[in-house]
Amino acid sequence: MTSVRRALAITVVNAGLAACAHGPAEHHTDGSHYGVSEVGSFHTGGRQVTLSGLPTKEIVFTAGAPPAKVDPNGDFEVEQMYVQYVKLYGPYVRARYPLLMWHGGGLSGVTWETKPDGKAGWQQFFLKAGHDVYVSDAVERGRASWARYPEIFRTEPFFRTKKEAWELFRIGPADSYATDPAKRRIHPGTQFPLEAFDQFGKQGVPRWATNDASTQAAYDALVQKVCPCVIVVHSQGGNFAFNAALKAPDKIKAVIAVEPSGAPDPAKSNLAPLKAVPHLFVWGDYLGEQDLWKRLTPNIDRYEAALRAQGGIAERLDLPKLGQRGNSHMLMMDRNSDAIAQLIQDWMNQRGLMK
């Protein structure tokens, strides 16, 4: 450990110990707080692209500045992924493997951080539970950045409207969104904090429908760089995690799929390598009341059944059946998100993923 990292660890640990009035030789590792040894980030995946033959432009970069010539020709790094990690100080590490958190479509790693209502998200929950945590922004999202189109990305980006998010994420039924918050209708008993929905809308980022191959390649590179690991994945990210596990079943020790929207076709994929990779599927409420989800879930069910049929571990948290009712698609942001995270943590305990 470098002197800077050691100092950070000692500072955080000592602050936590002082707050809890413990002696200097005692480490309070019951999950009420945690000590951090390192916070950092990196980019992985991607490739170099050279552009030529494009016209130059003159651009004024800031008010009052003279125009400057911008030449878009040259070498660029594109299709990379951004990853931020938080590593715990030794006594606080209780997980056998780091936890990688992969987001869904039109979103970024912010999904796992502070919730839109200002409360702590799953990143902090699982740090307290004893996991080193890696939160990523996939290719084209957030700090991963994107590239020119059509020269590199083949199509232009598209964006999710707030109406689509409100209804597709099952906060309210079809045609229940209104610009005026007072006129929006909800599913009875919804757990999503309605007062935070417009704040949640600020998390939306551009996305492309033509970048799956480069996104998968970046995720595969991440697995090779930091794993063995456990992956918790949401929505569109499901397919990337399932395929990453097929390619590296020795490095991925478990997949926790939170409402995945896609999965490999068992009729076209050999799932035998996943026999030793336990899977947990987590589902919220109102799935039968949204048309797209009624079309999506049978594909995931077939994948789950195929995993079990070839001798693998594929288990399910059907939250309404467990008494956790009212959860949206963004269940890691719902009011009862900590209770759901604890169910996931309990499963990891049962699967021998903790020390």
Side-chain angles (χ1 to χ4, degrees):
M1 185 187 296
T2 67
S3 59
V4 173
R5 293 173 186 169
R6 185 179 298 111
L8 175 60
I10 292 171
T11 299
V12 174
V13 171
N14 284 345
L17 292 173
C20 295
H22 290 301
E26 183 178 354
H27 295 290
H28 193 66
T29 56
D30 63 356
S32 60
H33 68 277
Y34 54 92
V36 174
S37 68
E38 184 180 357
V39 178
S41 63
F42 57 85
H43 286 81
T44 190
R47 61 192 176 98
Q48 177 176 288
V49 172
T50 302
L51 297 180
S52 61
L54 298 171
T56 61
K57 294 182 179 180
E58 282 199 341
I59 294 177
V60 175
F61 287 103
T62 188
K69 186 172 74 171
V70 174
D71 186 350
N73 301 288
D75 297 336
F76 299 88
E77 288 293 322
V78 300
E79 298 173 355
Q80 64 277 351
M81 169 181 291
Y82 170 83
V83 184
Q84 183 191 74
Y85 58 84
V86 181
K87 296 181 180 180
L88 297 174
Y89 177 67
Y92 293 86
V93 180
R94 298 191 295 281
R96 294 186 179 277
Y97 311 102
L99 186 67
L100 277 53
M101 310 188 85
W102 297 2
H103 61 75
L107 296 168
S108 68
V110 175
T111 292
W112 309 108
E113 298 174 1
T114 306
K115 300 195 295 184
D117 63 2
K119 296 179 181 178
W122 279 11
Q123 180 190 44
Q124 184 161 313
F125 182 96
F126 287 110
L127 283 166
K128 285 185 176 181
H131 303 260
D132 290 343
V133 173
Y134 289 68
V135 173
S136 51
D137 292 352
V139 173
E140 81 196 21
R141 316 290 176 83
R143 283 182 281 184
S145 193
W146 45 284
R148 288 180 64 106
Y149 63 89
E151 293 88 1
I152 301 171
F153 288 1
R154 299 194 302 276
T155 58
E156 65 183 23
F158 60 97
F159 299 79
R160 175 177 287 120
T161 66
K162 288 165 67 175
K163 179 181 189 298
E164 180 187 0
W166 181 271
E167 296 168 9
L168 181 61
F169 295 171
R170 308 192 313 278
I171 298 167
D175 298 320
S176 63
Y177 175 81
T179 302
D180 181 354
K183 296 180 181 179
R184 297 169 187 169
R185 294 182 291 112
I186 61 172
H187 285 299
T190 183
Q191 292 279 5
F192 192 90
L194 303 178
E195 71 283 358
F197 177 76
D198 290 330
Q199 183 67 27
F200 168 62
K202 301 179 192 301
Q203 295 185 16
V205 294
R207 61 186 296 197
W208 281 256
T210 51
N211 290 339
D212 276 12
S214 56
T215 301
Q216 185 70 62
Y219 274 126
D220 293 342
L222 174 61
V223 168
Q224 293 300 317
K225 182 178 179 68
V226 306
C227 295
C229 59
V230 174
I231 299 173
V232 57
V233 64
H234 180 235
S235 197
Q236 183 211 20
N239 240 329
F240 298 126
F242 299 143
N243 282 294
L246 279 168
K247 295 175 183 177
D250 58 324
K251 290 184 174 292
I252 297 177
K253 302 303 180 180
V255 175
I256 298 158
V258 179
E259 295 213 346
S261 60
D265 184 349
K268 300 178 181 178
S269 304
N270 175 20
L271 302 186
L274 299 180
K275 186 174 181 178
V277 182
H279 285 59
L280 178 67
F281 297 84
V282 184
W283 296 103
D285 214 337
Y286 318 119
L287 285 162
E289 300 181 36
Q290 211 283 336
D291 287 342
L292 181 58
W293 282 106
K294 286 190 286 188
R295 299 199 305 272
L296 290 173
T297 51
N299 299 326
I300 315 302
D301 292 344
R302 281 192 291 272
Y303 178 74
E304 179 185 341
L307 289 173
R308 285 195 296 270
Q310 54 89 40
I313 296 170
E315 297 176 307
R316 172 180 292 230
L317 291 179
D318 189 329
L319 295 175
K321 292 181 180 178
L322 296 174
Q324 297 290 341
R325 299 186 180 279
N327 283 107
S328 71
H329 181 53
M330 305 304 300
L331 50 83
M332 72 293 294
M333 300 178 184
D334 288 343
R335 287 188 292 265
N336 63 338
S337 61
D338 278 4
I340 299 166
Q342 187 59 56
L343 291 171
I344 293 171
Q345 181 60 44
D346 291 344
W347 183 82
M348 286 192 277
N349 292 337
Q350 295 162 8
R351 287 290 148 216
L353 298 170
M354 307 299 291
K355 295 180 181 178

